[in-house]
Amino acid sequence: GFTNISVSGNRLPYAPKNPAIFYNAACLYVEMEQFDKAVDCIRQAVAHKLNEMEEIKRQLNTEKMFTDFRQYPPLAEVMKNL
């Protein structure tokens, strides 16, 4: 199942060249309420220069699936840098 998903090492070998993969992984982690891993994925998306950051920021601020995640303090730090 999704509980064994990992975004480190070579588990996502194409993510650095396609950073949207990091955002997609973050969404999965949010669904599983693993907010620390979701924040790490968002940081990776930023570090690898995901082009759609304005859209991602809008989604994080408005989409229902992120309601609880928006209350997670480490996300606020990441959001400041978007």
Side-chain angles (χ1 to χ4, degrees):
F2 287 125
T3 56
N4 293 325
I5 177 175
S6 175
V7 296
S8 62
N10 60 7
R11 299 270 174 112
L12 293 177
Y14 302 104
K17 291 183 181 178
N18 185 0
I21 293 171
F22 287 118
Y23 177 67
N24 293 335
C27 292
L28 290 172
Y29 281 129
V30 168
E31 287 290 323
M32 295 184 298
E33 297 182 1
Q34 294 183 18
F35 295 161
D36 57 331
K37 292 179 180 179
V39 167
D40 287 341
C41 287
I42 292 170
R43 286 186 181 122
Q44 288 294 319
V46 171
H48 289 89
K49 306 201 183 339
L50 177 62
N51 292 330
E52 299 87 11
M53 290 315 300
E54 285 303 314
E55 176 61 17
I56 300 304
K57 190 174 183 177
R58 184 197 66 75
Q59 289 178 17
L60 290 170
N61 283 318
T62 61
E63 295 292 325
K64 184 178 179 180
M65 75 174 278
F66 297 120
T67 300
D68 292 337
F69 187 46
R70 281 192 287 273
Q71 307 307 312
Y72 186 61
L75 178 62
E77 282 299 311
V78 173
M79 294 292 283
K80 284 191 229 177
N81 297 316
L82 296 183

